[in-house]
Amino acid sequence: MTAAAISTGLGSTGSGRAYLAFRARLLVAPAVGLLLATSILPLVATLWFSVIDYRLLTPGASRFVGLENYRRLLTDAAFLPALLNSVVLIALVLTISILGGLALALLIERATLGRGALRLLVISPFFVMPPVSALLWKNLLMQPVAGFLAWIAGIFGMAPFDWFARIPLVSISIIVAWQWLPFACLILLTSLQSFDREQREAAQLDGASTIAIFRHLILPHLARPMAIVVMMETIFLLSLFAEIFVTTGGGHASSNLAFLVYSQAMLQYDVGAASAAGIVAVLFANILAFFLIRAVGRSLDA
Amino acid sequence: MRARQASSLGMTALAWCAAFAVAFPLLWALLTSFKTEMEAASFPPHFLRFAWTLENYRVVMADGDYFASLRNSLIIAGGSSALVLALAVPAAWAMAFAPTRRTRGTLLWMLSTKMLPPVGALIPVYLFYRDWGLLDSTFGVALLLAAGNLPIAVWMLFSNFKDVPAEILEAARMDGATLLQELGVVLAPMALPGLASTFFLIFTLAWNEAFWTLNLTSVDAAPLTAFIAAFSSPQGLFWARLSAASMLTIAPVLVIGWFCQRQLVRGLTFGAVK
């Protein structure tokens, strides 16, 4: 995506435009400055905090301790679950939202009546603020005694299910997937609508089955938008916080890395350990970003 | 032919059922917001036959916190979005029309800052804000949200400006247009839709942002995210009131979202999906 977008942008470089270069740098500088001040500087500070012993309640007592904070973090019983939870959350949300979004997009594309209204219904969850969707799901739908899902379960003769007590992480994943499914759906729908009709008709004339057309023509066509959906969702899922904050309030069963940093810094006032966890979260994001950008790049080259 | 019509009718019906299921949690909350608390907790649930009431909306709005939070949300989302545009428009303009060897790297670097999870910056930002009196201030939060949305805006505007043929601008310059005329008369009308959808997207993202707003505000600057999060305490679980508050909270951006869904969703792909 990026390489292609930029190279075409650079194509407009005219010979008489060099004089603009200096002024251009001036125009870009404020944006770069703000980003430096809010991302790189704090990251360097976090790195420094992660190698000193720094407790909020005993100021002035900070001293260099090397990797001690990392040792404490890695042996902390909360660390491994948080790392695993981060992976599971992202994997579950991506799977549900992309498979569901694809199915819905295929349906809407075939629908003949009221496609505009369908889009409005489907996109709505995407614009709902995270704490609102989390609390509505937790209380109105997933509440085990009088929630709507308990009523549905009752109709089918099933026992009510205590979602947040039994499977908190999956429950949170469902809520978050509900918010991102519309995004995946609309992106894939846009892409489906740009699929060449003649190509499909030619394949049909050649006797290709619907499944073969989907597998060999439509899925490859969707590879690029899917890669972009995965990338954008992952960016936002890495900092998932509010949904955990308002539903379970943390705990081993549902804390991700972001929540671990929050609870260590804001609830236990242990800046050193929290910073170490923050650095681990950044490393985790970078590893993910590395594979993502490679995967996205590969699907773009194809 | 008839079989084909029947199948497309079936698809349409299925699509409507699925779309309705996706929107159902919101529709259910909308219904619940018009119920009494007794009615909201009744089991089995009542769908349309209940005594409709506006009492919950009255109670939520009578609580001073709602309007204070609404005001803070407007200030934070509006202020941060204005700041983003003020920084992103010149940057994107320069990168689209006067690219240098560094342009590509700068754009990618900006995008890569989005890959940096905010928790990596939480602690220094918190401590710095505490020492400089920026904790619980709308300005402090707006600044961070602006930084978070800046890369998205630069990318959106960059791909938007690139669609404007440079020849048109050159032709205007040949005809003796000044830089201001070139920008105001030639570029602005063509880029205005892109500017508007960029503003709406970053406004929506800032309105819904719930990491920095929950961590850096407490009382004075608390926006709607914090107002709603306060409903999570067990003793405050009034479903009908929660539903009414939720509706009041999401309505503004939901309406914006309905009007420009195509541009907003596409904007988040940085122009990669047309």
Side-chain angles (χ1 to χ4, degrees):
Chain A
M1 152 190 95
T2 48
I6 294 163
S7 61
T8 49
L10 290 174
S12 62
T13 316
S15 53
R17 297 184 159 255
Y19 78 98
L20 276 174
F22 176 69
R23 204 193 292 172
R25 218 164 286 158
L26 278 186
L27 292 177
V28 178
V32 171
L34 179 65
L35 283 178
L36 275 177
T38 55
S39 66
I40 304 301
L41 280 187
L43 185 62
V44 172
T46 305
L47 209 53
W48 167 240
F49 289 156
S50 77
V51 292
I52 60 174
D53 185 28
Y54 187 176
R55 313 290 169 110
L56 279 182
L57 294 183
T58 49
S62 55
R63 62 195 172 80
F64 183 78
V65 292
L67 294 177
E68 171 61 18
N69 288 320
Y70 290 91
R71 197 193 59 75
R72 259 192 317 134
L73 176 72
L74 295 182
T75 53
D76 188 336
F79 173 71
L80 213 55
L83 188 66
L84 275 177
N85 288 343
S86 296
V87 176
V88 171
L89 250 175
I90 293 177
L92 270 179
V93 172
L94 283 177
T95 311
I96 302 174
S97 64
I98 290 182
L99 289 184
L102 176 63
L104 199 55
L106 287 169
L107 275 177
I108 294 179
E109 206 236 344
R110 297 285 295 275
T112 45
L113 197 73
R115 243 191 269 174
L118 281 176
R119 290 178 69 111
L120 286 193
L121 277 178
V122 169
I123 192 61
S124 299
F126 186 59
F127 296 112
V128 175
M129 171 185 291
V132 168
S133 58
L135 283 179
L136 288 181
W137 271 84
K138 186 189 180 194
N139 296 311
L140 269 58
L141 299 172
M142 289 173 160
Q143 206 273 347
V145 179
F148 191 82
L149 293 178
W151 178 67
I152 301 268
I155 292 179
F156 292 102
M158 288 185 287
F161 187 72
D162 194 345
W163 293 83
F164 277 94
R166 303 280 294 279
I167 45 169
L169 192 65
V170 177
S171 306
I172 292 171
S173 305
I174 292 174
I175 298 172
V176 180
W178 175 72
Q179 293 189 275
W180 284 98
L181 186 146
F183 175 71
C185 176
L186 285 208
I187 296 286
L188 296 178
L189 182 61
T190 307
S191 176
L192 275 178
Q193 284 167 341
S194 72
F195 183 69
D196 193 359
R197 235 160 240 293
E198 285 174 18
Q199 208 183 349
R200 179 189 307 198
E201 276 158 20
Q204 274 169 344
L205 282 181
D206 287 343
S209 68
T210 312
I211 294 174
I213 292 177
F214 179 73
R215 167 106 180 58
H216 297 291
L217 289 178
I218 297 183
L219 265 191
H221 178 72
L222 292 180
R224 179 186 152 107
M226 266 193 203
I228 288 160
V229 169
V230 169
M231 191 170 92
M232 287 315 295
E233 287 195 21
T234 309
I235 286 178
F236 283 88
L237 293 176
L238 278 172
S239 51
L240 192 89
F241 173 78
E243 288 88 338
I244 300 171
F245 182 77
V246 301
T247 54
T248 63
H252 286 197
S254 62
S255 286
N256 60 356
L257 280 175
F259 204 88
L260 184 70
V261 177
Y262 157 81
S263 67
Q264 264 168 343
M266 304 298 182
L267 306 178
Q268 295 165 34
Y269 306 112
D270 188 345
V271 172
S275 299
I279 293 299
V280 171
V282 170
L283 283 179
F284 176 72
N286 273 301
I287 294 170
L288 224 54
F290 174 76
F291 285 111
L292 262 179
I293 287 172
R294 266 181 43 158
V296 170
R298 207 175 304 142
S299 87
L300 293 185
D301 295 336
Chain B
M1 209 56 209
R2 181 159 298 173
R4 210 158 157 198
Q5 262 176 353
S7 111
S8 92
L9 214 73
M11 280 294 191
T12 307
L14 211 57
W16 272 95
C17 289
F20 187 76
V22 168
F24 179 78
L26 287 180
L27 298 170
W28 187 240
L30 181 66
L31 278 183
T32 306
S33 72
F34 294 116
K35 294 176 177 176
T36 60
E37 292 296 345
M38 284 287 282
E39 196 76 64
S42 77
F43 195 83
H46 296 174
F47 282 85
L48 295 170
R49 298 186 48 163
F50 55 84
W52 292 62
T53 171
L54 287 173
E55 175 67 9
N56 302 306
Y57 288 92
R58 199 190 61 72
V59 171
V60 171
M61 295 211 261
D63 178 358
D65 282 353
Y66 170 70
F67 284 106
S69 311
L70 179 66
R71 197 200 60 210
N72 286 335
S73 270
L74 285 171
I75 293 174
I76 291 172
S80 74
S81 304
L83 179 61
V84 167
L85 283 194
L87 294 175
V89 169
W93 180 84
M95 291 201 262
F97 295 117
T100 63
R101 270 178 298 126
R102 292 225 192 96
T103 298
R104 182 198 155 99
T106 311
L107 270 171
L108 285 178
W109 174 73
M110 285 185 170
L111 187 62
S112 76
T113 64
K114 283 299 298 175
M115 288 284 184
L116 204 71
V119 282
L122 172 65
I123 294 154
V125 166
Y126 185 88
L127 296 176
F128 181 84
Y129 270 32
R130 185 194 62 182
D131 296 344
W132 287 77
L134 285 169
L135 274 187
D136 203 17
S137 74
T138 49
F139 172 76
V141 183
L143 198 64
L144 279 169
L145 299 197
N149 286 333
L150 187 59
I152 296 177
V154 170
W155 269 88
M156 259 182 101
L157 290 171
F158 174 76
S159 65
N160 193 259
F161 286 163
K162 254 190 343 62
D163 290 342
V164 175
E167 293 80 35
I168 295 186
L169 298 183
E170 264 161 33
R173 214 171 297 148
M174 296 284 199
D175 290 343
T178 64
L179 184 65
L180 268 184
Q181 282 174 326
E182 181 188 326
L183 291 181
V185 185
V186 186
L187 182 63
M190 279 186 281
L192 203 58
L195 272 176
S197 55
T198 305
F199 181 84
F200 285 136
L201 178 67
I202 56 182
F203 183 89
T204 303
L205 288 175
W207 183 274
N208 288 342
E209 205 282 341
F211 179 76
W212 292 117
T213 53
L214 289 177
N215 275 308
L216 297 182
T217 68
S218 48
V219 184
D220 294 338
L224 288 168
T225 44
F227 174 73
I228 287 293
F231 277 85
S232 63
S233 54
Q235 65 271 31
L237 279 187
F238 296 95
W239 292 3
R241 201 179 301 168
L242 167 67
S243 300
S246 298
M247 290 300 131
L248 287 172
T249 300
I250 63 175
V253 290
L254 200 55
V255 173
I256 293 177
W258 281 340
F259 277 107
C260 14
Q261 37 146 336
R262 275 167 210 269
Q263 294 86 332
L264 297 194
V265 169
R266 226 172 292 161
L268 259 188
T269 67
F270 303 118
V273 174
K274 301 267 178 197

